[in-house]
């Protein structure tokens, strides 16, 4: 089975001139995955996205995306919205 695109969400990049795109995929076997793209030439050279695993008290787990500076390793959580602006 192949993965199908379920939805896309957007966030501003650190410099504000581009965006970060999250694409969520799933397949018929109940598997899912997210892919992240920095759509800004300047920020793409200076940052990367890391998915960090979080485990809730009830044992459920989920990944949280962070944008990480390649210069000093500082990171901040990426907050997405459902619109392109």
């Amino acid at each position: 089975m192949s993965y199908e695109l379920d939805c896309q969400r957007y966030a501003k990049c650190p410099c504000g001139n581009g965006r970060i795109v999250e694409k969520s995929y799933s397949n018929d076997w109940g598997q899912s995955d997210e892919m992240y793209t920095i759509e800004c030439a300047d920020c793409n050279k200076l940052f990367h996205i890391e998915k960090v695993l979080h485990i809730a008290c009830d044992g459920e787990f989920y990944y949280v995306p962070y944008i990480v500076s390649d210069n000093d390793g500082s990171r901040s959580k990426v907050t997405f919205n459902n619109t392109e602006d």
Side-chain angles (χ1 to χ4, degrees), residues 36-85:
Y36 302 94
T37 307
I38 301 172
E39 293 183 346
C40 173
D42 293 332
C43 289
N44 200 33
K45 294 175 187 172
L46 301 172
F47 298 92
H48 66 276
I49 302 292
E50 286 183 1
K51 292 187 339 185
V52 177
L53 177 65
H54 288 263
I55 302 173
C57 294
D58 62 3
E60 292 291 319
F61 66 90
Y62 57 95
Y63 289 94
V64 176
Y66 288 86
I67 188 154
V68 181
S69 169
D70 292 335
N71 293 329
D72 63 10
S74 63
R75 69 180 191 170
S76 60
K77 183 178 173 184
V78 180
T79 304
F80 292 95
N81 59 54
N82 294 329
T83 60
E84 291 192 46
D85 45 291

Side-chain angles (χ1 to χ4, degrees), residues 1-6 25-33:
M1 283 285 144
S2 62
Y3 282 86
E4 294 182 16
L5 178 64
D6 295 323
Y25 297 89
S26 65
N27 64 24
D28 292 340
W29 296 335
Q31 299 168 322
S32 62
D33 195 14

